Amino acid sequence: MPQGSVLGPILFLLYTSDLLQLARRHQLHPHAYADDKQICGSCCPSETDAFQQHLSVCIDDMRQWMMSNWLQLNPAKAEVLWCASARRQRQIPTSPVCIGNTIVLPVMAVRDLGVCLNADLSMAAHITTTVRTCLTVLRQTRSVRRSLSREALLTLVRALVVSRLDYCNSVLVGVTKHCSVGCNQFLTRSEHGTPVLRDLHWLKVPERFQFCYVF
């Protein structure tokens, strides 16, 4: 299939479906999106070393399967994230995971389909990234507001700001009060006097954004 074809992602998932079954045979939980694969699992804090070895064995088996089916695993793009509650963050392993001949060190945050996940699952990284991106877009829009009509400005805000606030907002359900500070800062800074930011209030962005946190 040519790259970029409509059927390409579906046929690729069908071709690599055995990889998901292979991970399940190792009692792990795989997820697939196009050519991205994820493997999830859980263990007790005292069993992290054994789980890490088990994960390395599973990845080696998947790598062997890919080699035998004319595919290649790219260890340079692999990331390992250990998740634990804030109280157990000190127990998170720091030892690397072996993927073939490549050593992959655990990270504190990863980006998954546009959502930033951090080790304590507080969504602080995602909130910070979303607020920073939205404020950057607002500053850029403000600099050209005099050259655009009000309708064009609203279209830009809906497309570049509101869409980011709405994207995957269900992951923000139940976030702590500490993480809602980023939301409050965004609302405070987005309600100042320029026409574009007043239009944000007209679009009821504050209510919608707060809904993400209070739902």
Side-chain angles (χ1 to χ4, degrees):
M1 297 295 295
Q3 186 175 4
S5 63
V6 176
L7 292 178
I10 298 177
L11 294 178
F12 184 82
L13 288 176
L14 292 174
Y15 185 75
T16 59
S17 60
D18 289 342
L19 276 176
L20 307 183
Q21 299 299 328
L22 180 61
R24 292 189 182 99
R25 285 199 294 270
H26 284 273
Q27 298 181 349
L28 296 171
H29 305 284
H31 301 276
Y33 182 83
D35 60 343
D36 292 330
K37 300 291 185 290
Q38 301 175 3
I39 305 174
C40 303
S42 60
C43 66
C44 298
S46 59
E47 301 174 353
T48 55
D49 292 337
F51 178 80
Q52 188 164 308
Q53 294 178 359
H54 180 66
L55 181 63
S56 296
V57 171
C58 176
I59 295 176
D60 285 340
D61 289 346
M62 296 178 69
R63 186 171 61 88
Q64 292 296 330
W65 184 93
M66 295 178 70
M67 292 177 61
S68 61
N69 287 273
W70 301 94
L71 296 174
Q72 183 177 3
L73 179 66
N74 188 356
K77 293 185 177 181
E79 292 180 306
V80 177
L81 176 69
W82 286 94
C83 297
S85 62
R87 184 168 56 90
R88 296 186 179 274
Q89 284 294 304
R90 296 180 180 178
Q91 297 177 328
I92 289 181
T94 57
S95 55
V97 176
C98 295
I99 300 180
N101 297 325
T102 304
I103 301 299
V104 179
L105 293 173
V107 296
M108 296 303 297
V110 296
R111 188 176 181 87
D112 183 14
L113 299 179
V115 177
C116 295
L117 302 175
N118 43 314
D120 58 358
L121 296 181
S122 64
M123 302 309 300
H126 181 68
I127 294 171
T128 301
T129 302
T130 302
V131 170
R132 181 174 61 247
T133 302
C134 290
L135 289 176
T136 300
V137 172
L138 288 176
R139 285 193 294 268
Q140 294 173 345
T141 306
R142 180 181 179 182
S143 64
V144 298
R145 70 185 187 278
R146 299 184 186 276
S147 302
L148 301 174
S149 64
R150 182 175 182 274
E151 183 178 355
L153 287 174
L154 293 178
T155 301
L156 286 176
V157 170
R158 293 189 186 101
L160 302 178
V161 178
V162 178
S163 61
R164 286 184 169 89
L165 301 181
D166 285 342
Y167 179 72
C168 289
N169 56 12
S170 60
V171 301
L172 302 177
V173 173
V175 295
T176 62
K177 183 178 180 180
H178 173 73
C179 290
S180 65
V181 173
C183 170
N184 294 331
Q185 291 177 348
F186 175 77
L187 300 184
T188 301
R189 298 174 65 179
S190 65
E191 290 177 353
H192 293 294
T194 65
V196 175
L197 302 185
R198 284 200 302 269
D199 288 335
L200 276 176
H201 180 73
W202 176 80
L203 287 169
K204 300 186 183 299
V205 173
E207 288 81 357
R208 295 175 67 182
F209 197 54
Q210 188 177 12
F211 177 82
C212 299
Y213 291 83
V214 178
F215 179 80

